[in-house]
Amino acid sequence: MNWEDKWIAWAAELQSIAQAGLFYGRDVFDKERYARIREISAEMMAAKTQLPIETVKHLFCADSGYQTPKIDTRAAVFEDGKILLVKENSGKWALPGGWCEFNMSPAENTVKEAKEEAGISVSVEKLIAVQSRSKHNEPPYPYEVVKLFYLCKNLGGSFAQNSETLGTAYFARNELPETANEKTTKAQIEMCFAAASAPDWCVLFD
C-alpha cells in the first residue's frame, strides 16, 4: 500500500464531503464545521504534496456545488506511421491537449488545443479512450480528471510560438521520447498507436 497516495485520497474525499456540505447545508454551525474540514483537507494535501497552501486552496478548494471531475482532452495525430507530440516547458513530451473549456464540447476542445499547442488544424475522427487519470497517470492530483483521447486528422498548419509548448515533432512507436507522465504516459501513446492501426477499434474505458 502506498501511504502517500492513501493520505492524498483521504484528503480529497474530505474536501469533496466538505464542498457538498457547504453547498447543500442550511445550518450555519454545520457550514462552519464543513469550512473547517475543508481547511484541514487543504492542509493535509499541502503537507503531502509539498505545494504551497495557497496553491492547494486555489486548485483544490475553489469550486462550489457538488464536486465532479475535470475533463482533459488529448489529440492523437499521425503522419507516415508516426505520432505528433508537443514539447512541454519541462522539456518532456505529451499529446497536445488540455482542460476542456466550459463552452466547448470535448471534440471542439480537442481541435482548439491542437491549434494552440501544435499550431495545426485537425478534424476529430473517433474516440479512442475514456480514462480516469488517477488510474493511469502520476503524480496524483488533488482532484479527479477524466481524460478523453481522440484520433484526429491533420488538416494543415505549423507550430507557432506559444506559452505552453516549446515545439512539436513526430515519433515512431519505437523511438518515443521522455514523456510528461502527468499529462501523457508512454502506455497512453501506445494505446493511440493501436487505435490508429485498428479500423474496428472499440473505445476503451475505465
Side-chain angles (χ1 to χ4, degrees), residues 78-197:
F78 289 86
E79 187 172 296
D80 298 325
K82 296 184 177 183
I83 195 167
L84 175 70
L85 300 180
V86 294
K87 190 173 187 179
E88 302 286 336
N89 288 322
S90 65
K92 300 177 182 180
W93 297 78
L95 294 171
W99 297 128
C100 193
E101 298 289 344
F102 78 96
N103 59 347
M104 290 185 172
S105 71
E108 290 170 340
N109 196 76
T110 304
V111 172
K112 176 189 76 73
E113 289 290 333
K115 187 66 174 179
E116 289 179 354
E117 293 196 350
I120 61 172
S121 298
V122 302
S123 62
V124 175
E125 303 296 302
K126 64 182 176 182
L127 180 63
I128 296 172
V130 180
Q131 292 187 340
S132 173
R133 184 193 178 280
S134 60
K135 297 180 183 296
H136 299 273
N137 300 79
E138 294 286 348
Y141 277 1
Y143 43 81
E144 185 54 277
V145 178
V146 173
K147 297 179 72 68
L148 304 177
F149 295 83
Y150 289 97
L151 186 63
C152 300
K153 180 180 180 181
N154 187 349
L155 301 178
S158 59
F159 178 77
Q161 185 175 0
N162 64 86
S163 61
E164 297 185 84
T165 56
L166 302 175
T168 64
Y170 282 89
F171 294 91
R173 196 168 191 166
N174 63 352
E175 61 178 18
L176 296 178
E178 185 178 9
T179 53
N181 289 330
E182 71 279 7
K183 297 183 178 182
T184 310
T185 66
K186 286 187 178 179
Q188 289 166 332
I189 296 171
E190 289 275 357
M191 173 185 68
C192 295
F193 271 101
S197 62

Side-chain angles (χ1 to χ4, degrees), residues 4-23:
E4 290 296 318
D5 289 351
K6 288 295 291 183
W7 276 103
I8 290 173
W10 288 331
E13 185 173 357
L14 284 173
Q15 138 60 23
S16 179
I17 293 169
Q19 181 172 312
L22 285 168
F23 185 75

